[in-house]
Amino acid sequence: SMAKTLMKIQRYFRRKPLRFFSLILLYFTAGSLVFLHAGFIGESGPGGRRRRDNAVASGNPSSLSDARGLGIIRRGFKERTGRRYGPPWMKQASEERQEVARRARDYTTNWNRALKGRNGKDVDDGRAKYIGCYIDDTKRRALRGASFFDYKRMTVFRCQDNCAERGYMYAGLEFGAECYCGHKIQAPNASESECNMECKGERSNLCGGANRLSIYRLELSQESARRYGSAIFKGCFRRPDNVTLALPFSTVIQNMSVDKCVDTCTEREKSLAVLSGDRCHCGYPSPLFSLHEPENEDACLHRCQGEEFESCGNEEFFVVYQTQVQDKRCMDRHFLSVRAKHLVALASFPGAGNTWTRHLIELATGFYTGSYYFDGSLYNKGFKGERDNWRSGRTICIKTHESGRKEIEAFDSSILVIRNPYKALMAEFNRKYGGHIGFASQAHWRGKEWPEFVKNYAPWWASHTVDWLTYGKNVHVVHFEDLKKDLFSKLKEMVQFLGLKVSEDRLLCVEGQKEGNFKRSGLRKLEYDPYTPEMRANIDKQIIIVDAALRKRTMSGIPEEYMPR
């Protein structure tokens, strides 16, 4: 009877193949529904309850609100998608766009990717070593340096890279999404079981807990600054006219050393440690002591009593170090209290430093910047104006990479940021295939993507600038390289262009925290020149076009370093 039944089923589907495929489709649909149901259970089940329970157990209401907030942010981002930009004549195939989006989701370097999936506690390759779980208090942090949050893609190694790049000795992760840096741990140990929350960007690793930090000791980068331990050497400076006002805290230290003065000023939560013989002064950069006029270092040669090979300055010439204490005078930011009717663009070619410039403007003015697009990763990093409609009038200026006449004429004035095309093209290629602080892979640089990218984007670098100079109203040009060299005066000009009163204290504060969270680390640089002679000929032609357009507007031309050699 079984055989007859099987024969009937076989004949049934042979005559009705459509029914057979319908059955297969129903089978897979049912399986997908079961899978999705399991995913929702995972979000709201034991793991989600554990996070809320930890917040309640900690007795910290802010932690509880954070736990609720993460879910709200997560749901909000799933519902919104950002616009994409590219040369006006380019229309990427949907397959390529999906691939780019997939790669842009990974913010880590290739080194990070290679280590992904391994437990962060087991990693000790000369870069980082896990040292334990520590208590963190929101009023007095265990690690008191820089901090940043990413409620969707935080990983152990991304946090480590960011802290190491800024010269911090320690990196700590909390609540699955928060990263804190510091030069010393100022809190007691906690039980390992209390650091039990998975990282938002890699479920295979733990990133602290509610008011608990998973802390790693880092190998410091020596690349961008002369350091003493975790402090940055700022130079030798003449004694200010009024030391008491310029540097409000002062003490004599027996057997003086750089380390002792840095520790003293760090404990006083001051960003400058200033040595003059056996006296240690602490304070902040100010108009009375701006650090803008360094002296020859020979003027400060005076051996420290406690260290034979260190200079401690003297009564007339001070040795200055920047501690890892964050200068908070420029950290407050908010939306405009009265909606602006005058829309100011912050325009640039992609890869020209728009995000960094936004960071500087927000710190210098105290107001959020907006965006023509919506980028959830930038919103997560603190650019709260990213979520506003660009016409809202609540932001001080609006990021845009658009270059069409209609889009340009929608703004009443504009700050136009221009960067050396050789650097801008590489930066945008890295962003396109590796995210805001990630890197394109060797396969992309060596493959067909890079030549095709240069071919299409190099002319857009020129046409973008020419269009803004042609159709833009009241254009203020800023060269990225000039901003890096002379940040104080160039940023001051931008604040004045925005119609705001200049606060020199804020500008001096910005100088001490100019890097922000979107600087690519120097850990991965190409070991060869990716530009062929043909590419260079094309780019050099575009440089000449932009130089002529600037001079036509009676502006200074392209910086000398851009010009063909």
Side-chain angles (χ1 to χ4, degrees), residues 90 92 95-97 99-100 102-103 425 428-430 432-433 440-458 528 530-531 535:
M90 283 186 69
Q92 291 178 305
E95 293 85 358
E96 184 187 347
R97 288 202 302 271
E99 173 68 9
V100 170
R102 182 183 69 77
R103 294 181 184 279
L425 289 168
E428 173 59 6
F429 189 72
N430 275 322
K432 190 176 176 71
Y433 290 101
S441 68
Q442 288 292 329
H444 285 119
W445 288 107
R446 301 278 189 186
K448 64 180 182 180
E449 293 93 343
W450 171 242
E452 189 68 22
F453 177 86
V454 173
K455 177 183 174 183
N456 288 296
Y457 275 64
Y528 66 96
Y531 292 104
M535 291 177 188

Side-chain angles (χ1 to χ4, degrees), residues 34 59 67 77 98 128 133 144 154 238 315 333 347 350 372 378 455 512 521 526 545 557 563:
V34 171
F77 284 165
Q98 290 166 4
C133 182
R144 298 178 189 173
M154 180 63 76
R238 187 177 292 276
E315 289 187 359
R333 286 167 291 170
Y372 193 76
L378 292 178
K455 177 183 174 183
S521 75
L526 283 180
I545 291 170
M563 299 304 285

Side-chain angles (χ1 to χ4, degrees), residues 452-471:
E452 189 68 22
F453 177 86
V454 173
K455 177 183 174 183
N456 288 296
Y457 275 64
W460 184 32
W461 174 85
S463 65
H464 180 281
T465 303
V466 171
D467 284 353
W468 277 93
L469 291 173
T470 303
Y471 305 120

